[in-house]
Amino acid sequence: MDNYEKQVYTGRELFLKYDQDKLIKKYGLKHDEEYLYLKYIGTEYRINRRNGAVEYATGEEWTDCREYTVVMTIYDFLCCSLGGKAGKWLF
């Protein structure tokens, strides 16, 4: 596992510390008991509400996304724009 992938896992852990109900309300996110859903650069993504993993839609299936720039941009947007500055997580 390289350092970028390690950061993705760290991002997951930090994401889970945030109030998901506030994220849902602020951004009008589609959601169910298991996932938060959002669109980023024309692609459908979902975030597992229990473990923070990000997946993207590939046709009818969902695929685990470990692309550092995509995952961290999604986490950064959702979590840091709750009143903080982008790039500075509240932990």
Side-chain angles (χ1 to χ4, degrees), residues 8 12 54 65-76:
V8 166
R12 287 180 182 183
V54 176
C65 182
R66 293 186 189 160
E67 173 58 42
Y68 173 80
T69 56
V70 172
V71 173
M72 296 309 288
T73 298
I74 289 171
Y75 290 152
D76 192 45

Side-chain angles (χ1 to χ4, degrees), residues 3 10 13 16 37 40 42 66 79 87-88 90:
N3 286 335
T10 299
E13 292 172 18
L16 292 172
Y37 299 88
Y40 173 65
R66 293 186 189 160
C79 300
K88 183 175 180 173
L90 309 172

Side-chain angles (χ1 to χ4, degrees), residues 11-62:
R12 287 180 182 183
E13 292 172 18
L14 294 173
F15 171 80
L16 292 172
K17 294 180 182 181
Y18 282 80
D19 185 334
Q20 294 178 16
D21 291 327
K22 285 184 181 179
L23 296 174
I24 291 165
K25 184 177 179 182
K26 179 170 182 158
Y27 299 109
L29 298 175
K30 290 187 270 180
H31 64 283
D32 56 33
E33 289 184 25
E34 295 183 53
Y35 296 98
L36 304 178
Y37 299 88
L38 64 141
K39 191 175 233 178
Y40 173 65
I41 309 181
T43 301
E44 295 289 333
Y45 288 89
R46 68 183 185 181
I47 304 171
N48 187 300
R49 297 182 74 174
R50 288 174 181 63
N51 67 20
V54 176
E55 298 176 338
Y56 63 96
T58 53
E60 298 293 318
E61 297 182 19
W62 291 92

